[in-house]
C-alpha cells in the first residue's frame, strides 16, 4: 500500500546519528545504565512511555532469571484493547542488556521480585513519566542534540527503522500494534534521516 499526500505527515524521529549518540552517552557510565536500558527497549520494541514504565521484573524475566524473548504487556494503549495483539518481541541486544541490568539492580539493593517495578527512581519507587521525560531531555543535551524531541520520538524511530529495513507495512503495523493500518502508513513517508541525506550535499 503506497503512502499518499492525503495521509498524516511523517512523524519527527531521531536520526541514526542521534540514536547512536544517545545510547553511547548513556552507556559510558554505570550511573546512566538504567536509562540506557530504557532507551534500548524503546528503540528495539516501539513501546510507549507508559508501557515501559509499567513493566515489572517478572514481565521481562522468566522464573529461571533469563530475559524473555516475548513479553506480554499488561498495560497498553486502550485504542487497541485486544490482549493477544499486545505482545512484543525483544531483540537479542536488548535481552543481553537486560541480563546485565538485573545484576545492576541487585547490586544497588533494588528488588528483583517478579512484582517489583523494572525501572525505579533513586528513592526506589517506580520511575514516573515526569522523571522519564526530564531525564530524556537531559540526556539529549549531554549527547549534543541541536534540537529537543519528546520521548515518543523513540517509538517513531523504531517503527521508521522497521519499515526502512523491511519495506513491509503490514509487518510494521504488527510491531506498532496498531489496530488500523492507516495509523502505520505515516511511517512509509520520508523520515528525518531521508531529509538529512537529501540536502546534505546540495550545491549551494
Amino acid at each position: 500500500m503506497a503512502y499518499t499526500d492525503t495521509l498524516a505527515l511523517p512523524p519527527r524521529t531521531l536520526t541514526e546519528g542521534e540514536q547512536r549518540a544517545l545510547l553511547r552517552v548513556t552507556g559510558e557510565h554505570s550511573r546512566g545504565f538504567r536509562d540506557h536500558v530504557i532507551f534500548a527497549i524503546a528503540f528495539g520494541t516501539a513501546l510507549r512511555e507508559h508501557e515501559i514504565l509499567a513493566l515489572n521484573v517478572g514481565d521481562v524475566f522468566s522464573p529461571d532469571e533469563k530475559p524473555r524473548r516475548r513479553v506480554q504487556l499488561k498495560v497498553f494503549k486502550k485504542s487497541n484493547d485486544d490482549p493477544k495483539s499486545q505482545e512484543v518481541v525483544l531483540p537479542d541486544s536488548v535481552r543481553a542488556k537486560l541480563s546485565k541490568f538485573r545484576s545492576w539492580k541487585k547490586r544497588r539493593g533494588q528488588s528483583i521480585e517478579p512484582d517489583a517495578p523494572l525501572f525505579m527512581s533513586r528513592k526506589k519507587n517506580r520511575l514516573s513519566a515526569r522523571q522519564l521525560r526530564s531525564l530524556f531531555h537531559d540526556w539529549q543535551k549531554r549527547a549534543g542534540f541541536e534540537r529537543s524531541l519528546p520521548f515518543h520520538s523513540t517509538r517513531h524511530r523504531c517503527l521508521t527503522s522497521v519499515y526502512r529495513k523491511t519495506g513491509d507495512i503490514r509487518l510494521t503495523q504488527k510491531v506498532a500494534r496498531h489496530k488500523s493500518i492507516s495509523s502505520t502508513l505515516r511511517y512509509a513517508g520520508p523520515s528525518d534521516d531521508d531529509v538529512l541525506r537529501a540536502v546534505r550535499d546540495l550545491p549551494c
Side-chain angles (χ1 to χ4, degrees), residues 8 16 18 30 35 49 57 87 98 100 150-151 182 187 194 203:
E16 293 175 11
E18 288 170 338
S30 177
D35 303 342
E49 173 185 276
V57 172
E87 180 186 75
L98 282 168
K100 295 179 181 179
F151 186 81
S182 62
Y187 296 102
D194 294 327

Side-chain angles (χ1 to χ4, degrees), residues 6-121:
T6 61
L7 298 172
L9 291 173
R12 293 178 69 202
T13 65
L14 284 82
T15 64
E16 293 175 11
E18 288 170 338
Q19 178 178 337
R20 287 194 301 268
L22 194 64
L23 291 175
R24 183 179 63 250
V25 72
T26 53
E28 287 177 344
H29 305 288
S30 177
R31 187 173 59 84
F33 191 57
R34 178 203 61 187
D35 303 342
H36 179 84
V37 175
I38 291 174
F39 301 157
I41 288 175
F43 288 131
T45 65
L47 283 179
R48 301 174 178 90
E49 173 185 276
H50 71 283
E51 295 168 338
I52 292 176
L53 294 175
L55 291 173
N56 288 337
V57 172
D59 295 330
V60 299
F61 291 100
S62 58
D64 64 1
E65 302 180 358
K66 294 181 179 179
R68 300 181 188 274
R69 168 67 67 189
R70 299 176 182 274
V71 173
Q72 182 65 47
L73 300 181
K74 298 173 182 175
V75 175
F76 46 84
K77 189 175 180 180
K78 295 304 181 183
S79 60
N80 187 358
D81 56 4
D82 178 12
K84 294 180 181 178
S85 69
Q86 301 300 330
E87 180 186 75
V88 296
V89 178
L90 298 183
D92 290 343
S93 61
V94 170
R95 295 176 72 219
K97 291 174 183 180
L98 282 168
S99 291
K100 295 179 181 179
F101 183 63
R102 190 179 187 280
S103 299
W104 185 93
K105 283 175 65 67
K106 192 173 182 179
R107 289 196 303 271
R108 282 157 178 75
Q110 295 184 12
S111 174
I112 52 175
E113 291 299 312
D115 60 349
L118 182 61
F119 297 113
M120 305 182 77
S121 69

